[in-house]
Amino acid sequence: MGGFKKEAARKERQGKQDGMSNVRTKGENFYRDAKKIKTLNLRDGKEQRNSQGKITQAAPYQSRDKPNARIEPNRKWFGNSRVIAQDSLTGFREAIEKQSRDPYSVLLRSNKLPLSLIRDAKDKNGNVVAEKRPLTETFGPKSHRKRVKLSASSVSDLAGQSEKMHDEYLDRREQAQLLSGTAQDASRDVEESEEDDGALAVAKESIFSKGTSRRIFNELYKTLDASDVICEVLDARDPIGTRCHHVEKFLKEEAPHKHVILLLNKCDLVPTSVAASWVRALSKERPTLAFHASITNSFGKGSLIQVLRQFSALHSNRKQISVSFIGYPNVGKSSIINTLRSKKVAKTAPVPGETRVWQYIKLMKRILCIDCPGIVPPSQHDSDEDILLRGAIRVEAVSNPEQYVAAALRKCKQRHVEKTYDIKSYTSTIDFLDQLARKSGKMLKGGESDVNTVARTVLNDFLRGKIPWFIPPSGMEEKAANRKGEDGGRTGDVALLNKMPTAELRSRKRKRDDVEDREEDVNGPEGANDAHESASSDSGAESIAESDEESGFDGESDGQGAEAEQDDLNEDGDSDESDASKSNGGATVEKQ
């Protein structure tokens, strides 16, 4: 056989053609190998029979005889369970718990981890059940039943607990009805029950139920399901009031794999120190960024794009990621998307309720933005004044706007209001509205002031930032007071002051006065309607906007990233694979 192969190769090498090149040569492709024979036998699939017609060898996979085999006693044959030592499991639990407390750490591929073993079962008080009830006391010969612990020592205590549980049940049912869109039926039932008791129900305007309908929450849940990263937009003047705790609780329980970051929008309306304090306070819970939405003069745009690129790098196995913007109405969700695109791609207006349905907007090649309508989470503690002053409803739709002006003035300082409208000191809300109506010429027949129109103007100015106001974070007022007390009680070196030139002394005095005015603004609302405040202090006071200009915080864009990022957006994401692991000024995401 080998000779024929060598002969054929020699003829081919010498280029001799004898007309037999297409004829099979014995030894080259004549015999079948074992794999080919096995394949042909499987293809036939016929049984073998003897002369009597009985089957002597059954066809493949057709035999009825039991095989003489024994299954290996290995647990891997029956499931995908694995065994881990107890000390290794304890160490892994501690590491996961430590990383879970860090808001800037992300746990990827959590579906491949046995989280039911990592997270111990805990009771209502947060105690681990396995530690409270040891194994030896639960099973085995030494097991014993514990005596039932009664939370009430007497029948009266038990009745009080029953009433408390009933009240909690009514609150939960009302919240569930608000979420399901059946709040009107619930209010009708409450009115009927109050009529039966003989008490009268207080009429509530229907405009205050806007943002809580079933359609709005359907849009919200569709947005949450379709998004990988959720940006919760907050108003920098009142971050706690515009925060959606209900949505955060839902995401923590139902979708812990989704990433949530906080955006403090409208940070140009508060002093720099207040915005920085809120960012430090909220960063302990979730990644937080300060932002100013503006197409031409933005702030925080580069940091936000860098964070979104880091999330895109974390999910590199996906073709695209979706980033949704949720929050209260009129907090600037659509304006943020327009700022990121540097052009008007989403419809915006200075009134709530402009965005009615969710919509996709392409930010770059691998990042898509989702614009969601504004929602008003149901709460038992929010009054009509709180909902109105957060900008959740339109002022034009309120029947009696003058009754909400007093709540707005309580959040402002009187000297800021007087300087904004250029009026003298007022003694009450009615006096303030009357002076403003006469100054602006809003009068009715008979010389009466048009209080209704003036009240709407004041509320709109309050919501749109014309009147400076903000809510400082907890602990900031005490720090400002302590700093002011230390500076006021400090005595300088007289000899050193005498040696200083006059110009330097004046500049130091001017800086000290600016710092004192800014710290006084940081103290927040402190009895803004005090009628006995002297006019001399009013004339020397400065507004928050002026102190912002002196401190350099005027909402300018961060030049380190905004212009460079804009070129990338115009190219539709060609540079998406840039270095996403660099840390930025706002937040950094680590891959665990």
Side-chain angles (χ1 to χ4, degrees), residues 106-144:
V106 178
L107 178 62
L108 298 178
R109 299 180 180 89
S110 58
N111 55 351
K112 294 185 178 181
L113 294 175
L115 294 180
S116 59
L117 293 177
I118 297 173
R119 297 169 183 170
D120 290 320
K122 298 182 180 180
D123 55 6
K124 295 181 179 180
N125 298 327
N127 300 321
V128 180
V129 179
E131 295 178 357
K132 293 182 61 177
R133 302 179 61 184
L135 185 66
T136 57
E137 296 181 3
T138 307
F139 303 99
K142 296 184 179 180
S143 62
H144 60 274

Side-chain angles (χ1 to χ4, degrees), residues 94 139 153 166-167 185 220 228 252 258 262 271 352 382 445 451 460 462 465 478 480 484 487 558 575 577-578:
E94 294 176 355
F139 303 99
S153 59
H166 180 66
D167 295 338
D185 299 338
L220 170 66
D228 302 309
K252 184 178 180 180
K258 296 184 182 293
L262 303 179
D382 293 342
K445 291 182 179 181
V451 179
N460 283 326
F462 177 85
E478 291 79 0
K484 189 172 182 180
D487 295 340
D558 43 352
S575 61
E577 286 75 17
S578 64

Side-chain angles (χ1 to χ4, degrees), residues 210-211 213 215-217 219-220 223 325-338 344-361 369-375 392 394:
K210 295 293 183 181
S213 62
R215 184 191 69 83
I216 293 295
F217 274 87
E219 298 290 330
L220 170 66
T223 303
F325 294 87
I326 65 171
Y328 266 75
N330 202 24
V331 293
K333 300 180 292 296
S334 302
S335 300
I336 292 176
I337 296 177
N338 292 339
K344 189 175 181 180
V345 293
K347 192 176 180 181
T348 59
V351 292
E354 189 67 24
T355 304
R356 298 186 178 276
V357 294
W358 70 317
Q359 54 182 344
Y360 270 94
I361 297 171
C369 294
I370 306 178
D371 191 9
C372 177
I375 60 168
R394 302 192 180 190

